[in-house]
Amino acid sequence: MPRPTPDIPNASMADIAFLLLVFFLVTTTIANDRGLSIQLPPPPEALPPDMDVKIQERNLFKIQVNSFDNVLVEGNPFFGTPNELTEQIKTFVLNYGADPNSSDSPEKAIVSYKTDRGTSHKKFIEILDAVQAAYYQIYADNAGVTVKKWLELSSDLNDPENRKLYDLGRKKRPDGTVEIPMALSIAEPTKVGGN
Amino acid sequence: MSKFRKKAKVKQEIPTSSMPDVVFMLLFFFMVTTQMRETSINVKQQIPEATMLKKLARKSLVAYMYIGEPKKTDEWGKEPKIQVNDVFIDAKDIIQWVNSEKAKLQEYERDQMTVSLKVDSDAKRGIIADVETELRKANARLVLYSTRQKLTE
């Protein structure tokens, strides 16, 4: 005589699975480890005390932001979009001495970025993004890749193929120096607005 | 009129027998990808947007720092604060924190450590500049300002 097989009710299985699914959907955080990367300069104590570098005015591209998030570019109020700023920096860096008021060469060109202690982080990032965009676009053009590809390959330089394109984009010379370094100087903020 | 009535008699059914399988598949996907946050963030985090995002190659070399207005303003005040791990710290304690983070890494990796600054949009530049000064002193000079991808055009 066959014994009756015990049955587990499985009508509610879908409900249980849904419950678990909703739990994991809610608790999931997609890890976000992306952002603007910079390298800070060495501490002031580590620099030689008598270091006094003369930089010609023409090789300096000045960006200043005050505590009301108003922007001065080369001493003039700037109301344009970040894209316009990016274009201005690109023409400044790639001047090669053509315009006597702009840079001598990309190697000598320096973007100086000064904020106030009261400047919001949002504005700071917006301008920093525009400056970095200018350089990344130049690099990507030189390497013959899209900007997106450039950002991808420059974060993994252990790959020799990436390293090759990276050096090509920054126009590395055989002696190890770089023709277009990203010379971005973020100055100590002024103390007008804020603690 | 009669034509319509005839059509309405046709019964349509979606097969539901495979629904648990589909749900289980989704469930496993989220179970595998989910990561429990180990620290609870006690500061406001409205991360700014940017376009030129770089990705961090190795997660083990990253130390996180959160800066923003405290969520419990009645307890901590409205001034932006610096949070690491689970506590608020002052700018002067940063060097000590960097050293303890570096101690967790292998010796040859220590100079590659990146500090990821997750800063609220409304935080002021002043406090971030103080943090940067301390990071320079602590010789943790690779910094990533965490941002979200701006959707363009």
Side-chain angles (χ1 to χ4, degrees), chain B residues 49-98:
Chain B
E49 291 183 339
T51 53
M52 296 291 142
L53 305 192
K54 273 198 179 181
K55 214 167 139 189
L56 286 173
R58 285 184 56 194
K59 259 192 169 172
S60 56
L61 296 177
V62 186
Y64 296 95
M65 189 182 272
Y66 309 92
I67 300 172
E69 183 187 304
K71 278 178 183 161
K72 292 178 186 161
T73 42
D74 49 343
E75 198 174 330
W76 297 101
K78 282 199 164 184
E79 281 301 306
K81 282 185 112 48
I82 306 159
Q83 186 195 344
V84 296
N85 303 331
D86 259 334
V87 287
F88 290 131
I89 60 166
D90 284 329
K92 61 177 179 1
D93 302 325
I94 287 176
I95 298 178
Q96 204 186 350
W97 170 73
V98 168

Side-chain angles (χ1 to χ4, degrees), chain B residues 26-53:
Chain B
L26 282 169
L27 176 63
F28 287 137
F29 171 73
F30 281 102
M31 277 177 76
V32 169
T33 56
T34 202
Q35 281 179 336
M36 295 294 170
R37 213 200 284 279
E38 60 260 59
T39 53
S40 57
I41 298 170
N42 296 322
V43 291
K44 247 171 71 181
Q45 289 274 282
Q46 178 73 40
I47 301 291
E49 291 183 339
T51 53
M52 296 291 142
L53 305 192

Side-chain angles (χ1 to χ4, degrees), chain A residues 33 35-36 40 119 121 129, chain B residues 51 54 64 123 125 130 141 145:
Chain A
D33 273 329
L36 305 181
L40 299 174
T119 306
H121 183 62
D129 190 34
Chain B
T51 53
K54 273 198 179 181
Y64 296 95
R125 201 43 208 139
D130 292 342
R141 282 162 41 213
Y145 295 110

